[in-house]
Amino acid sequence: MLQDAMEAAGAKVSEKGIIETFDNDDEALDAVDNGVAVVDLSHFGRIRVSGEDRIQFLHNQTTANFECLREGEGCDTAFVTPTARTIDIAHAWIMKNAVTLLVSPETGGSIAEMLKKYIFFADKVEIQDITKQTAFFVLVGPKSNQLMEELNLGDLVGKPYGAHQHFSINGMPITVGVGNVISEEGSSLLMSPATAETVWKTLLSQGAIPMGSNAWEKLRVFQGRPAPQKELTNEFNVLEAGLWNSISLDKGCYKGQETISRLITYDGVKQRLWGISLSSAAEPGSTIVFDGKKVGKLTSCVPGRNGTEYVGLGYVKRRAASEGDTVIVGDSVTGTLVEVPFLARQQALSNSSSS
């Protein structure tokens, strides 16, 4: 069993069976900058969408343009409410007979149920939650491509984000994709639970540093990737969350499309998500103040490297403050607004541009 192998390697496991830490969080975060880290994200949700109408169905239910994707390609897409509030970001792989969606741990079951509700009588679509039948790892860091080549999985190196192929390791099938849920660099690996222990041990033997979910949460905030129940709630829309790369504006009608189109046409995006470098810990939900005025709200806060500083994410009113500005979070915590990689990669669209 994979979990037994991990516990033998010093992993601390939560009651839900999630690996919290290998007692090496700073080493694992250092590997993200200078080497390669491997993270078990098997607790994230995986949904298989099959049937001959699957592409049209996902095209209508999510924000990305699925009709322009071919087998072996992939994309990020957002699940939104009719008023464009973000439920989650999904990473999609277009396979021969199905689309596989990776979603956050908090939303996997609810998104699968929501999609089933939108299948009409004549739709040839099947939704299957395959989280328990699969395992999922990601590789993060500048040496991940080198590791892939050493494992004879190098065919994907240099391919676009979301591209994926089926391989076999020791005769066992594995699907490998370019990029992962927080970065367009690195790799994602989908396999059966029976294969997972072998793959994990192989990656470690090639020099990958194991990372637990505590360090992964820090990395998520450092990178600036929004998460459900924190940045992605009914309070904020998909454009305020900065998810531009997940959105198509020229694909016709889909859930949330009218609101998104109107927000862009009338420049209606009132706030945006920022990284915040903090002098000490602050409680998510705390008010952000600039120049004596309330301008926003903190949504996430984690300790920085080696516990020296803290890093947060928060929404700030547009035009109220900008990069480098000093803000007060809560009663007395000093913060500086900073760009973060995930949000900096997003390319804002106008209604005349295509995605």
Side-chain angles (χ1 to χ4, degrees):
M1 280 283 293
L2 175 63
Q3 192 165 312
D4 296 340
M6 288 182 171
E7 287 180 356
K12 305 278 192 301
V13 183
S14 76
E15 287 176 12
K16 291 181 179 173
I18 299 166
I19 307 298
E20 292 179 335
T21 181
F22 292 88
D23 281 337
N24 69 339
D25 290 2
D26 285 330
E27 183 193 2
L29 289 165
D30 187 59
V32 170
D33 292 336
N34 304 304
V36 55
V38 57
V39 196
D40 178 9
L41 295 186
S42 298
H43 58 292
F44 274 55
R46 285 170 298 287
I47 300 167
R48 186 177 191 270
V49 185
S50 58
E52 62 186 71
D53 295 334
R54 63 189 179 277
I55 297 297
Q56 181 66 48
F57 178 76
L58 286 171
H59 193 77
N60 294 341
Q61 292 300 325
T62 77
T63 57
N65 188 337
F66 275 85
E67 289 183 347
C68 69
L69 295 171
R70 301 285 168 264
E71 182 186 337
E73 295 179 334
C75 69
D76 284 344
T77 191
F79 285 98
V80 298
T81 68
T83 54
R85 297 321 201 225
T86 317
I87 298 164
D88 200 4
I89 316 161
H91 187 57
W93 281 347
I94 314 301
M95 297 180 171
K96 186 174 184 180
N97 297 311
V99 177
T100 300
L101 301 171
L102 181 83
V103 297
S104 299
E106 303 86 350
T107 62
S110 58
I111 286 176
E113 290 309 308
M114 177 184 78
L115 288 175
K116 286 175 186 172
K117 281 185 193 153
Y118 282 100
I119 299 173
F120 293 110
F121 184 69
D123 290 341
K124 295 185 175 65
V125 179
E126 286 178 43
I127 309 292
Q128 190 184 1
D129 185 334
I130 58 166
T131 308
K132 295 276 195 291
Q133 291 92 56
T134 51
F136 191 84
F137 302 159
V138 296
L139 293 173
V140 199
K143 294 192 177 161
S144 49
N145 283 350
Q146 189 182 321
L147 191 152
M148 298 303 286
E149 283 170 351
E150 284 164 2
L151 294 175
N152 295 321
L153 305 174
D155 290 2
L156 279 169
V157 172
K159 294 272 176 73
Y161 177 60
H164 56 279
Q165 285 180 28
H166 305 298
F167 294 94
S168 101
I169 289 185
N170 297 345
M172 294 184 275
I174 181 169
T175 304
V176 181
V178 176
N180 53 61
V181 292
I182 57 168
S183 171
E184 293 186 5
E185 317 291 313
S187 309
S188 299
L189 299 90
L190 177 71
M191 68 218 89
S192 83
T195 315
E197 184 180 348
T198 303
V199 173
W200 182 264
K201 287 179 171 173
T202 303
L203 295 170
L204 295 195
S205 73
Q206 295 291 333
I209 304 295
M211 176 185 279
S213 61
N214 294 354
W216 174 260
E217 173 63 7
K218 286 186 184 182
L219 183 59
R220 178 191 75 78
V221 176
F222 297 168
Q223 288 285 326
R225 188 193 193 266
Q229 299 171 12
K230 295 184 172 86
E231 291 72 37
L232 307 179
T233 69
N234 261 331
E235 208 176 327
F236 307 107
N237 68 53
V238 67
L239 301 184
E240 290 169 338
L243 303 180
W244 294 94
N245 293 1
S246 305
I247 295 167
S248 170
L249 295 180
D250 59 355
K251 68 167 189 162
C253 197
Y254 58 92
K255 198 204 285 187
Q257 180 251 337
E258 276 186 43
T259 302
I260 291 169
S261 198
R262 214 164 40 241
L263 285 167
I264 294 170
T265 301
Y266 299 110
D267 195 20
V269 181
K270 293 186 169 56
Q271 53 201 337
R272 61 154 287 188
L273 195 55
W274 282 98
I276 309 171
S277 178
L278 297 162
S279 59
S280 58
E283 195 62 40
S286 298
T287 300
I288 299 171
V289 172
F290 176 69
D291 223 4
K293 296 188 188 76
K294 179 186 170 186
V295 294
K297 176 178 170 179
L298 187 73
T299 52
S300 289
C301 178
V302 295
R305 307 285 167 94
N306 305 308
T308 47
E309 79 279 338
Y310 285 77
V311 180
L313 295 173
Y315 286 93
V316 174
K317 284 180 187 167
R318 283 178 67 202
R319 304 184 184 92
S322 52
E323 186 176 4
D325 282 343
T326 300
V327 295
I328 303 296
V329 179
D331 293 334
S332 58
V333 177
T334 305
T336 306
L337 300 187
V338 293
E339 271 294 2
V340 279
F342 182 89
L343 297 173
R345 274 202 314 276
Q346 308 292 322
Q347 296 179 322
L349 305 170
S350 68
N351 267 336
S352 58
S353 67
S354 62
S355 66

